[in-house]
Amino acid sequence: MNAPRLGADQLVNGLTAYAEALEQHRETLNRLNVFPVPDGDTGTNMALTARAAIDELAARRSAGMLSEDAAAIAAALAHGALMGARGNSGVILCQVLRALAAAVPEDPDGLGAGELAAAIAAASAAARSAVLRPAEGTILTVAADAAAADGAGLLEVLDAATAGAQRGLWRTPELLSLLADAGVVDAGGAGLFLLFPALGTALDGRPIPAEIPLPPAVAAVIAAGGVRARPAEVGANGHQDGPRFEVMYLLEAPDDSIEGFKEVWATLGDSIVVVGGGGLFNCHVHTDEIGAAIEAALDVGRPRQIRVTDLAEQVEEERWVREVGESAPPPPSGPRPRTSVVAVANGEGVRRIFRSLGVTELVAGGQSMNPSTADLLAAVEDSAGEEVVILPNNGNIIPVANQVVHAARKPVRVVPTKGIQEGFAALLEYDPQAPSEDNAKAMQEAACRVVAGEVTRAVRASESPVGPIHAGDFIGLSRGGIESVATTVVEATTGLLACLLRAEHEIVTLIEGEGSRVGDTRKVTEWLHAAYPTITVEEHRGGQPLYPYLISIE
């Protein structure tokens, strides 16, 4: 039987179900993501945005700061969505959720069918108004098609909105060639589709679809592991032509200053979305001018919670995260280990080295695409050993790995490796038949003996203790910071080695990544043999993105 009205409680239950559905389908949405940048984070951003709305409500209730009337509940949901919106898709979703929350009336009976249809239409209009340059074939198209819903009762309206959202989703490739070239539908639109059956769940308990209804050809792409090919507009480095950075922040400013603020941003980049009101706004832009994008906020108010993401790095990491999923490690051979090792790794060569050192469970992750606790926990539970040692191989991942210790059903130890060089050194002390506690102690001691360095390329100009850095320069990094800056990768690498090498050192290992060349490696090794004739040099092809050389010194 149809519920007669949709009130605040039903909205909360529906949005809770929606947040759970987004989390359930997060990886599918990430794999669909090619627009505006193929960085594989749409599902994650939408799930975090929806969860932020629910968490804000729970936090206010827990603190005794919420009166249980419809207006207070709607305000909490709207504020949570605003504060927690992530990424382009998350900010647009924030506007949809805020509009739906604002439509819930003080009347305890809630919304009727006509009012719900009007609320969905208002949410679509609000989402479109938040985007400076709306594009068809996106989440906005799906919202507009859902907004055509009508019906005699609430469930009829939601059924019509669900059907409209599916139609809009299926036609997104017809409207956006980027999607057609990649063989997918819009990821944000697919995430928005789930909202309408989730609201239906709150009304009559109907289940949310176990799968997002995708065109058969798109479903086949997802079943095969993700986007079948990068679109023609995406360059050879995996980065779509356009601005390099995503800048987001909360802006405290007068409402009447926002139009002028958006006009300034229009000269700085694209994918501009600004949502909010009442003196607080969530702002999103893709730009090459980070400083100017932040200064624009200072001209009208106060920015806070500033986040800057390197889109090129995120796109590149998404590519190898996808590739590692396509190359599962071979099944383990020999006796079952007492202790298994779970390692976070990037680059096929790096993964191959880890496997040769005894690792059978590899998890993809990196500087801007960290694996979740759930990812690591799944690898721990899948491992053959009765006990497990985790090698995070990145400082950002160590806290996540530590959470697994408490969540796993088997004993787990974390060796806090901050790079793959330390991971390699640790594995030289790995004994599959020893307890995890003994392994962790020996492996950590080995990791601490390694001097690690890396060479990468600067994406923007800045200053450093060793001199000015220009965009495109190569920089040599140690655990202590920037050690060398040069216009060529060879000069940066040899400069880094000169800073790190000491008389007691015996072995230098060079791990070649994407961007390194055979000739460059030869020049580095020849310099090493001439400057340090007693040093043994080992070379490995790691294939890691973003870092032409990783260096390990023992």
Side-chain angles (χ1 to χ4, degrees):
M1 179 181 296
N2 286 356
R5 313 283 285 182
L6 187 145
D9 289 344
Q10 289 79 19
L11 180 62
V12 171
N13 293 339
L15 292 187
T16 301
Y18 179 50
E20 293 170 352
L22 285 171
E23 183 58 38
Q24 176 186 346
H25 297 289
R26 176 172 60 91
E27 287 307 316
T28 296
L29 299 175
N30 286 345
R31 291 292 171 257
L32 289 170
N33 177 201
V34 299
F35 179 84
V37 175
D39 50 358
D41 65 355
T42 291
T44 300
N45 287 336
M46 295 186 79
L48 289 172
T49 301
R51 177 52 57 187
I54 301 303
D55 288 348
E56 175 71 12
L57 182 66
R60 292 193 186 189
R61 279 178 170 159
S62 177
M65 298 170 57
L66 184 73
S67 58
E68 295 295 330
D69 60 84
I73 290 172
L77 292 170
H79 184 74
L82 179 67
M83 299 295 287
R86 304 286 189 97
N88 187 73
S89 55
V91 176
I92 295 173
L93 175 61
C94 159
Q95 194 74 330
V96 171
L97 299 182
R98 283 167 53 83
L100 286 176
V104 176
E106 283 297 311
D107 183 345
D109 291 335
L111 298 173
E115 293 161 324
L116 177 60
I120 295 172
S124 172
R128 189 170 292 269
S129 68
V131 181
L132 191 62
R133 302 186 186 98
E136 296 304 330
T138 65
I139 185 174
L140 300 177
T141 300
V142 176
D145 283 12
D150 199 1
L154 283 177
L155 288 176
E156 287 80 359
V157 170
L158 287 174
D159 286 343
T162 300
Q166 182 176 340
R167 284 193 301 272
L169 180 63
W170 281 41
R171 70 189 187 96
T172 54
E174 301 170 11
L175 302 172
L176 192 59
S177 61
L178 200 65
L179 301 175
D181 292 342
V184 297
V185 294
D186 182 66
L192 181 62
F193 162 84
L194 293 167
L195 173 62
F196 306 106
L199 291 174
T201 294
L203 290 174
D204 73 346
R206 63 177 59 186
I208 295 176
E211 302 293 338
I212 299 173
L214 299 172
V218 176
V221 170
I222 297 303
V227 178
R228 67 167 181 252
R230 288 304 181 205
E233 289 86 349
V234 176
N237 68 348
H239 178 50
Q240 183 179 332
D241 292 339
R244 170 120 193 197
F245 300 98
E246 177 185 67
V247 178
M248 291 190 68
Y249 48 72
L250 294 174
L251 173 60
E252 295 176 358
D255 290 14
D256 59 8
S257 68
I258 296 303
E259 286 306 315
F261 167 77
K262 289 196 289 187
E263 289 176 5
V264 174
W265 260 21
T267 68
L268 300 176
D270 58 27
S271 296
I272 296 169
V273 189
V274 179
V275 305
L280 182 62
F281 298 84
N282 195 314
C283 308
H284 172 282
V285 65
H286 290 175
T287 182
D288 288 321
E289 302 181 55
I290 299 171
I294 296 171
E295 288 169 3
L298 296 172
D299 289 340
V300 298
R302 184 172 77 91
R304 54 189 176 92
Q305 296 183 26
I306 299 170
R307 296 196 300 272
V308 178
T309 301
D310 185 330
L311 294 171
E313 181 174 318
Q314 197 168 32
V315 168
E316 185 69 1
E317 289 191 343
E318 190 279 333
R319 176 183 63 79
W320 57 252
V321 166
R322 176 169 47 85
E323 289 174 353
V324 74
E326 297 168 356
S327 56
S333 58
R336 179 180 177 180
R338 175 172 178 174
T339 298
S340 292
V341 175
V342 170
V344 179
N346 59 345
E348 179 52 41
V350 170
R351 297 193 295 271
R352 185 171 58 251
I353 296 170
F354 273 121
R355 289 171 188 156
S356 72
L357 293 172
V359 177
T360 57
E361 299 296 333
L362 291 164
V363 178
Q367 187 65 22
S368 66
M369 291 188 69
N370 303 157
S372 67
T373 300
D375 295 331
L376 293 175
L377 181 60
V380 166
E381 300 299 350
D382 288 344
S383 62
E386 301 170 8
E387 305 175 37
V388 175
V389 169
I390 300 177
L391 300 177
N393 300 324
N394 186 287
N396 289 345
I397 303 172
I398 293 172
V400 179
N402 287 332
Q403 297 300 312
V404 179
V405 174
H406 308 291
R409 293 177 293 180
K410 59 179 73 173
V412 175
R413 300 287 188 277
V414 176
V415 177
T417 49
K418 296 181 179 179
I420 65 169
Q421 308 95 309
E422 295 176 6
F424 289 160
L427 285 164
L428 296 178
E429 298 296 329
Y430 168 50
D431 179 357
Q433 300 308 320
S436 59
E437 184 176 1
D438 293 350
N439 266 305
K441 181 179 179 181
M443 293 168 76
Q444 183 161 348
E445 290 174 353
C448 289
R449 291 195 295 268
V450 169
V451 177
E454 55 200 28
V455 178
T456 189
R457 200 162 197 176
V459 298
R460 61 183 180 276
S462 63
E463 295 294 326
S464 79
V466 295
I469 301 172
H470 301 95
D473 282 350
F474 290 92
I475 53 179
L477 303 166
S478 72
R479 296 293 177 246
I482 298 173
E483 304 284 3
S484 65
V485 178
T487 57
T488 70
V489 68
V490 172
E491 291 174 329
T493 305
T494 55
L496 175 61
L497 286 164
C499 291
L500 299 183
L501 281 167
R502 299 290 181 267
E504 67 271 17
H505 290 146
E506 299 175 344
I507 302 172
V508 171
T509 302
L510 293 175
I511 304 168
E512 301 168 289
E514 294 180 2
S516 66
R517 298 181 297 180
V518 173
D520 292 335
T521 302
R522 182 177 295 276
K523 290 177 183 177
V524 172
T525 57
E526 288 176 350
W527 177 88
L528 273 168
H529 290 314
Y532 301 89
T534 62
I535 285 284
T536 299
V537 181
E538 297 181 357
E539 303 168 31
H540 297 282
R541 184 66 191 173
Q544 69 276 357
L546 308 174
Y547 297 93
Y549 291 102
L550 298 176
I551 296 169
S552 175
I553 302 174
E554 301 171 62

